[in-house]
Amino acid sequence: MSDTELDKVLTQRHEANQTIVNVEEATIKLVVFELAQQGFAFHSESIREVLGHATVFFVPGCPASLEGVINVRGDIESVILLNNLLHLPTSASNPQAPILLGRGKEVSSGIRVDHVIDVIDVVESSIQPPPSTQAEYMQGLVSGLLHFQDRPITLLDLDQIFADYARGLG
Amino acid sequence: MTALQDDDSTQNTLEVVLFQAGGCLSAIAASQVGAMSSDNNVCDAIPIAEVFGMEQVTTELAQKKLELKSVRAEAGSDSIDVLITPPVDLLNLAVTDIYPLPPLLAARQRLRWLRALAMHREQENISLLLLFDVLDTGSEEESQLSDLA
C-alpha cells in the first residue's frame, strides 16, 4: 500500500520531532548583593544562609575588617568586611545589615554586606570573563562579570577571598 | 589542656578561672592558675591585659595577683604573676559551649595565647568568653612566657 500524502506529511513531522535539539542553556544561581554602592555576587552554593539579624560579639586584637563572631545555632563563625580587600570605601556601620554565611572548600565565615539585592538564575553564557584590564588587587578575586537590572555585577570567588583574607589582605 | 573532667551529670566540663581583661570576659583553665592572692605587693606582677596583648581599659587599684603556670611537663615549671581586676570567679564550663577559633579569626587575631571561644550564659544574657591557654606548643610562645617572667 502506497503512502498517502498525509502519511508523508506525518512521517516528515515525526522525523522533524526527532531532530529537535534541546537548546536550553545551563543556568546558575547567584546571590547578588551591594557593597559600597557597587553590585557583587557569589555562587549560591557557596552561601549557606543569609542572616538578617545577628548579634556580633567583638573580639579584641583583630583588624577593623574583622567585625567579630556570631553564634549560628551552635556554631561560632567570624564576620568579616570585604571593603578593604576590594578597595572600597568603608560602608556606614549598620548592625542590621545582612550577613552572608559563606562556605568555601575549607573555610567558612560570615560576610557583612550593605544589602542583598536578589537571588537570581542566570544563563552561564551571560557571565563574561573578568577583563584583563582589571586592577591587580582584584585579579583572582573576580570570576566573572554580568549585568543585572542595568547595573554591572562582579562575580566573586569566595575561596580566593577567604584565602587572601587569611593571609592578611584586607 | 588537662582540666577536662567528668562531673556527676556525665557532662564534660572545663574548670576555668573567670575574669575581665581589656574589658572582655576572659578565662584560663583553673589547672593553669597556681595561686591567687590579694597581695598588696603587686609591683612584680604584670597586668593581664598587657600579657595578652590587649589594650588596658581599667586603672582600678583593687587588683588581685594570679600566678599563671605552664602545665606542660617538658616546659618545666615556668610561671608568671599577673594582675587581674575583680570580680574573679570559678566556673565549670560545658565542653559543648567551647569552640575553636574560626579559621579567619585564628589567622588574623593578634592576642597572645587566645585559643578558644565560649558562649557564657548568665540568666537571660549570653556573652562571649575568651579562653586563653598558657600552655602552648610553640617554642616561641614558651619563650614569651620566659620573657615575661
Side-chain angles (χ1 to χ4, degrees), chain A residues 57 60-61 74 76 165-166 169-170, chain B residues 99 104 107-111 126:
Chain A
F57 296 93
I76 287 190
Y165 190 84
L169 301 179
Chain B
Y99 302 88
L104 295 185
R108 298 295 297 271
Q109 70 87 22
R110 292 289 173 261
L111 296 185
I126 297 180

Side-chain angles (χ1 to χ4, degrees), chain A residues 36-56:
Chain A
Q37 298 184 322
Q38 293 189 35
F40 296 94
F42 285 120
H43 286 275
S44 68
E45 64 262 30
S46 61
I47 301 300
R48 196 173 64 191
E49 195 173 342
V50 179
L51 299 173
H53 303 281
T55 303
V56 180

Side-chain angles (χ1 to χ4, degrees), chain A residues 1-91:
Chain A
M1 192 174 102
S2 65
D3 288 345
T4 64
E5 291 280 324
L6 183 58
D7 285 334
K8 288 175 185 170
V9 169
L10 291 175
T11 303
Q12 281 177 356
R13 289 296 306 269
H14 179 69
E15 288 170 353
N17 281 343
Q18 286 183 327
T19 59
I20 289 175
V21 176
N22 185 358
V23 293
E24 192 174 312
E25 284 192 71
T27 61
I28 55 173
K29 196 180 285 289
L30 303 176
V31 178
V32 184
F33 61 94
E34 191 176 81
L35 204 55
Q37 298 184 322
Q38 293 189 35
F40 296 94
F42 285 120
H43 286 275
S44 68
E45 64 262 30
S46 61
I47 301 300
R48 196 173 64 191
E49 195 173 342
V50 179
L51 299 173
H53 303 281
T55 303
V56 180
F57 296 93
F58 170 74
V59 179
C62 294
S65 59
L66 206 158
E67 194 178 330
V69 296
I70 50 175
N71 185 2
V72 188
R73 291 183 294 280
D75 278 328
I76 287 190
E77 300 281 5
S78 52
V79 177
I80 63 170
L81 306 169
L82 298 182
N83 300 60
N84 275 1
L85 185 66
L86 301 176
H87 290 225
L88 298 171
T90 306
S91 302

